[in-house]
Amino acid sequence: MAQENTSLETVLTYNDDVLAKIAGNTVRDVDGVLSLEGNLIDSMTDRFSDSVDPTTGVKVDLDNDEKKVKLSMDATLEYGKSIPTVFDKVTAKLCQALNDMTDLTPVEIKINIKDLQTREEYVKKNRKAEKGEKKKDKD
């Protein structure tokens, strides 16, 4: 007969990067969000990497004891889209993703709109950046 271990203590905590990854991957899938931007160091690191880091541009303030999280990010949105509507979609998707994947409660979500670009401007800008990186790689 199995005995219950009544003295077992269990603890589940999260690293900030895990939550930033959830947020980054979730937000990038929202229509109207072109990118999340980090600080200059984050941007430089992404330029020399083969893949986009989903944690770039996401700041996390986590209280593991209280199971609460605050998220803050800088974003470039698509010109012509309703900013409040995009923000509402982002917050709803973030809350749902955090609810589905963690036991944390989001208590604050901040998005600072750094830029508005048409999709064409965004694609063109990124192509130029990629071409510049390829030239640097050949040198």
Side-chain angles (χ1 to χ4, degrees):
M1 184 177 227
Q3 291 182 336
E4 283 189 34
N5 187 351
T6 56
S7 63
L8 176 67
E9 181 178 331
T10 61
V11 178
L12 174 64
T13 60
Y14 301 91
N15 185 293
D16 287 0
D17 286 344
V18 171
L19 299 168
K21 188 175 282 188
I22 291 169
N25 284 327
T26 300
V27 170
R28 283 179 176 86
D29 289 339
V30 174
D31 181 44
V33 176
L34 295 176
S35 70
L36 296 179
E37 287 98 34
N39 58 32
L40 181 61
I41 293 169
D42 289 338
S43 298
M44 293 298 285
T45 302
D46 277 352
R47 285 196 178 120
F48 295 107
S49 172
D50 288 340
S51 60
V52 175
D53 178 1
T55 64
T56 299
V58 180
K59 296 168 196 72
V60 176
D61 182 8
L62 172 63
D63 185 339
N64 268 305
D65 294 331
E66 296 291 322
K67 298 292 185 190
K68 295 180 181 177
V69 63
K70 295 178 182 179
L71 299 170
S72 177
M73 54 206 81
D74 294 331
T76 295
L77 299 187
E78 188 173 351
Y79 183 84
K81 302 279 183 172
S82 166
I83 295 171
T85 300
V86 172
F87 179 73
D88 289 345
K89 287 179 187 177
V90 165
T91 55
K93 284 191 85 162
L94 276 173
C95 289
Q96 186 64 50
L98 289 167
N99 185 52
D100 291 347
M101 292 188 253
T102 73
D103 58 348
L104 300 173
T105 302
V107 293
E108 182 177 88
I109 297 173
K110 289 183 181 178
I111 298 180
N112 179 44
I113 309 306
K114 298 277 285 195
D115 197 4
L116 287 175
Q117 296 178 355
T118 66
R119 189 162 293 279
E120 293 77 25
E121 287 173 323
Y122 178 74
V123 169
K124 186 176 180 180
K125 180 180 173 185
N126 285 330
R127 279 193 190 134
K128 282 183 181 178
E130 286 175 14
K131 285 180 184 178
E133 290 166 21
K134 288 179 183 175
K135 281 185 181 179
K136 288 179 188 176
D137 291 343
K138 289 180 182 178
D139 292 342

